[in-house]
Amino acid sequence: MANPLILDGEALSKKIYEDLIARVSAIVARTARTPALATILVGDNPASVTYVKMKGRRCRNVGMDSRKIELPGAAATADVIAAIEACNRDPDVHGILLQHPVPKQVDERACFNAIDFRKDVDGVTYLSYARTAMNEMLLGCATPLGIMNLLDHYNIPLEGREAVVVGRSPILGKPMAAMLLNRNATVTVCHSKTRDLPEVVRRADIVVGAVGKPKFIKGDWIKEGAVVVDAGYNPGNVGDVDLEAAAPRSSAYTPVPGGVGPMCIATLIAQTVQAAEAALRV
Ligand code: NAP
């Protein structure tokens, strides 16, 4: 299609941060307390180190505190859970982020579930997922919620439309599917055992690529006029969709970088402010 709409997550995230600056200063003025996000990093995976730094910087930019907890790469599940429980007890911590992925010996699911649901600003606990699936979301999974906010900002209609989510991970594909279903899209979730994936994707009015394989979703899988959301983020700033070929067929698409990535972090920070407002009764 001529001139597809660019779903600009970078621009929308800037607006979100402007709004958060005002909300954070209102919290500080009313309670003399500063909202704080605790980030827990296990090991020194370079990508994770960068993500945690970006999240800390974003917190400070809106006037929040960020607390960095670093555990060695050899940490055991019990060590990570102990760090999470200390954050759960700390009234000056309003949000907790355990940076994914953790080293192999750590039971990530057990660690995620140790997060107090009121501080689960990345939306990774069983309870947060269950609430989302039941359409009673309190704090949502940050990346899919960021995608929903981006689609809403650009008034992309969802009701009654065919949505195909490629990927079913607990922190992206599954909650994404639940959120689209809550908005009355007709949702298909694909995975590594899906038969004839290109044909399934060709049915979609809205495609979400959440596979973790560079340029995996090809341009000729995209129906003319579909909305393409590329949640993938692979080395070299490459998404999971072959955007060069897919974007011209789409009516709207998220660029990589500058689409889903900035929305994910903005949503995490926004949910920390929301959690602080709830905890401090602002
Ligand atoms: P993941 O846990 O590795 O899950 C990948 C999913 O893709 C799995 O469900 C897998 O299916 C499916 N898959 C793999 N090969 C496939 C194939 N040949 N055909 C169809 N499906 C296939 O990955 P993730 O954590 O969800 O991340 C996915 C992507 O999103 C990555 O590029 C990641 O970097 C990106 N991401 C971005 C953000 C952001 O803020 N921008 C945040 C989170 C993730 P099975 O279940 O059958 O194995």
Side-chain angles (χ1 to χ4, degrees), residues 9-104:
E10 190 69 52
L12 178 56
S13 70
K14 282 192 183 130
K15 287 201 186 118
I16 293 172
Y17 291 125
E18 277 165 27
D19 170 56
L20 292 178
I21 289 170
R23 281 168 65 188
V24 170
S25 64
I27 294 171
V28 176
R30 286 207 204 145
T31 67
R33 310 265 295 277
T34 305
L37 172 70
T39 58
I40 301 172
L41 175 66
V42 190
D44 57 1
N45 174 302
S48 296
V49 170
T50 306
Y51 290 141
V52 165
K53 263 194 201 145
M54 278 163 66
K55 288 163 186 172
R57 199 170 57 232
R58 290 298 185 190
C59 285
R60 291 187 291 279
N61 288 349
V62 298
M64 283 169 44
D65 282 343
S66 81
R67 210 171 291 176
K68 214 161 123 188
I69 296 152
E70 292 174 329
L71 298 176
T77 303
D79 302 324
V80 183
I81 290 181
I84 290 168
E85 286 176 344
C87 293
N88 286 343
R89 287 190 298 270
D90 187 338
D92 291 327
V93 168
H94 305 99
I96 301 169
L97 168 99
L98 172 63
Q99 183 62 46
H100 164 85
V102 294
K104 277 196 195 76

Side-chain angles (χ1 to χ4, degrees), residues 51 100 143 166-173 190-194 197 209-213 216 230-234 238-240 260-265:
Y51 290 141
H100 164 85
T143 304
V166 189
R168 58 173 167 183
S169 73
I171 59 160
L172 186 44
C190 301
H191 45 78
S192 63
K193 308 289 185 290
T194 297
L197 182 64
V211 192
K213 293 185 174 167
F216 176 77
D230 190 348
Y233 195 64
N234 304 291
V238 177
D240 289 349
V260 173
M263 287 305 297
C264 170
I265 301 185

Side-chain angles (χ1 to χ4, degrees), residues 166 197 209-222 228 230-246 256:
V166 189
L197 182 64
V211 192
K213 293 185 174 167
K215 298 190 179 187
F216 176 77
I217 296 173
K218 307 300 175 205
D220 67 359
W221 300 6
I222 304 299
V228 176
D230 190 348
Y233 195 64
N234 304 291
N237 278 343
V238 177
D240 289 349
V241 180
D242 180 0
L243 279 175
E244 250 167 58
V256 178

Side-chain angles (χ1 to χ4, degrees), residues 73-159:
T77 303
D79 302 324
V80 183
I81 290 181
I84 290 168
E85 286 176 344
C87 293
N88 286 343
R89 287 190 298 270
D90 187 338
D92 291 327
V93 168
H94 305 99
I96 301 169
L97 168 99
L98 172 63
Q99 183 62 46
H100 164 85
V102 294
K104 277 196 195 76
Q105 79 280 3
V106 176
D107 181 343
E108 186 175 74
R109 175 44 49 203
C111 295
F112 279 158
N113 283 344
I115 297 171
D116 184 322
F117 74 97
R118 289 161 297 197
K119 300 187 182 189
D120 181 20
V121 293
D122 204 20
V124 292
T125 59
Y126 274 172
L127 185 58
S128 293
Y129 176 68
R131 290 193 69 119
T132 299
M134 292 296 169
N135 203 4
E136 292 177 25
M137 195 172 76
L138 192 61
L139 294 164
C141 198
T143 304
L145 184 56
I147 292 170
M148 295 302 284
N149 291 339
L150 189 59
L151 294 173
D152 283 343
H153 176 76
Y154 284 96
N155 295 315
I156 303 292
L158 302 173
E159 186 163 314

